Amino acid sequence: MSSSNLLIGPHVSIAKDISLAPVRAHELGATGFAIFTKNQRVWNAPALEDSSIRIFKEKLDEFGYDRRAILPHAGYLINPASPDEELWEKSLGLFLDEASRTVSLSLDTINIHPGAFKEGDRIDGIKRSAKMMDEVLRRTPGLRIAIENTAGAGTILGSTFEELDAILSESEEKDRIGFTLDTAHLFGSGYDVSGDPDGVLDQFFSRFGKDRLFGMHLNDSKVPLASHKDRHESIGKGLIGQDAFKAIVKREEVRGIPLILETVDETLWKDEIKLLLEAGA
Ligand SMILES: [Zn+2]
Ligand SMILES: [Zn+2]
């Protein structure tokens, strides 16, 4: 593991078996990585095999991955802010399942989008989202939730620091809630992480403090500042540009937390990891 304690790597596939994920990350030279804990497109997936869980943990140890270097991403079917009671309950069930998978893999943090409030009131959506976080945290001892910022398309919550703060404020389990900052989503929502990456991060830290940043998603963007769209690009090939990412990995506050690439061309992952590890060394 790099002495700079930069935990950088892609969101790797769990195809065939989840225990292959650490192997895939290691082969790319990643010092951290993300996974889905199950097929993210279906509501019901078979439970993780005991043998898969055991081998997954063995591989983490074999390759020297600290547990905090891995940031599972909850599936996109979950909508914590859904105004439809049945869908909200269904989302809760799935989130609980993914939360327990996370803990069974010996990991302690799961990344989730705050959800879309659809028709109805924004404030009610914020309350429903916070309530789901609380339910999952109460029923999953040892878990932390990283709420991811969004680009804010349509009724999607969480595109501003104010709104992330509003969700946190509604929660009764604040000690176990933090955030993941996605650079492409920051840019899409109007934070100029290209022109002033340090300023944007300073703004986050002055509101929330360093300890609320549980991870980052380092993605360049195909779409302009404040477009409220979410289209990832490879590092340095988009409208954010390479210099911003080099500035981010030099920050003290991003050491020891997972910095995940969700970039579009996986043939570039190895080079992207190397570039960022070197820039932050
Ligand atoms: Zn995400
Ligand atoms: Zn995105």
Side-chain angles (χ1 to χ4, degrees):
M1 194 135 319
S2 142
S3 59
S4 61
N5 202 23
L6 282 171
L7 309 176
I8 300 177
H11 185 128
V12 289
S13 166
I14 57 163
K16 302 248 194 299
D17 197 90
I18 201 160
S19 64
L20 292 170
V23 181
R24 290 175 176 134
H26 176 71
E27 280 168 357
L28 294 164
T31 52
F33 62 93
I35 47 168
F36 290 119
T37 63
K38 58 178 271 297
N39 179 341
Q40 82 280 16
R41 292 180 201 90
V42 299
W43 287 98
N44 294 300
L48 292 171
E49 302 275 351
D50 288 344
S51 60
S52 299
I53 293 172
R54 183 175 44 80
I55 299 168
F56 181 89
K57 293 187 216 169
E58 281 171 9
K59 292 293 168 194
L60 293 186
D61 293 339
E62 181 184 337
F63 301 133
Y65 286 115
D66 186 278
R67 298 307 192 257
R68 283 277 165 95
I70 298 119
L71 184 58
H73 196 305
Y76 297 115
L77 293 171
I78 301 168
N79 180 5
S82 178
D84 179 320
E85 216 168 299
E86 208 179 304
L87 266 178
W88 190 90
E89 287 293 340
K90 217 176 158 189
S91 290
L92 175 60
L94 182 52
F95 194 7
L96 282 167
D97 174 54
E98 298 194 18
S100 91
R101 287 166 189 263
T102 297
V103 172
S104 75
L105 291 166
S106 75
L107 308 176
D108 73 355
T109 310
I110 189 165
N111 180 92
I112 181 105
H113 295 195
F117 63 92
K118 307 281 181 183
E119 65 278 353
D121 207 62
R122 186 168 206 106
I123 300 294
D124 291 338
I126 289 170
K127 287 183 177 161
R128 286 190 297 269
S129 186
K131 187 177 170 205
M132 184 168 297
M133 306 304 159
D134 286 354
E135 287 284 332
V136 170
L137 288 169
R138 282 178 195 138
R139 289 154 73 171
T140 318
L143 185 79
R144 308 189 308 167
I145 293 176
I147 301 175
E148 181 177 349
N149 74 304
T150 66
T155 67
I156 293 173
L157 296 171
S159 66
T160 64
F161 296 159
E162 290 76 11
E163 197 157 274
L164 294 175
D165 208 350
I167 299 168
L168 181 68
S169 301
E170 283 293 330
S171 166
E172 292 169 6
E173 302 290 338
K174 293 182 181 59
D175 290 353
R176 295 196 278 149
I177 292 180
F179 302 104
T180 301
L181 286 181
D182 180 309
T183 51
H185 302 174
L186 281 170
F187 195 66
S189 68
Y191 292 95
D192 189 6
V193 76
S194 173
D196 187 13
D198 284 309
V200 173
L201 289 182
D202 288 341
Q203 211 183 318
F204 176 88
F205 292 127
S206 68
R207 179 182 280 268
F208 296 108
K210 170 187 183 296
D211 294 341
R212 290 273 183 210
L213 190 65
F214 286 180
M216 287 190 77
H217 290 167
L218 300 181
N219 301 309
D220 211 325
S221 178
K222 281 193 165 96
V223 286
L225 181 70
S227 60
H228 298 288
K229 286 184 189 144
D230 178 11
R231 301 275 312 281
H232 298 184
E233 181 54 285
S234 298
I235 301 294
K237 292 186 184 274
L239 297 170
I240 296 177
Q242 207 178 85
D243 289 348
F245 296 97
K246 288 182 172 171
I248 290 168
V249 295
K250 286 191 171 67
R251 299 280 300 224
E252 205 47 51
E253 300 93 332
V254 306
R255 278 144 223 278
I257 61 170
L259 306 175
I260 304 302
L261 297 162
E262 299 173 320
T263 45
V264 292
D265 183 352
E266 54 182 282
T267 67
L268 298 178
W269 282 349
K270 208 171 188 165
D271 292 336
E272 289 175 322
I273 293 163
K274 191 164 175 276
L275 173 90
L276 295 171
L277 284 175
E278 282 172 7

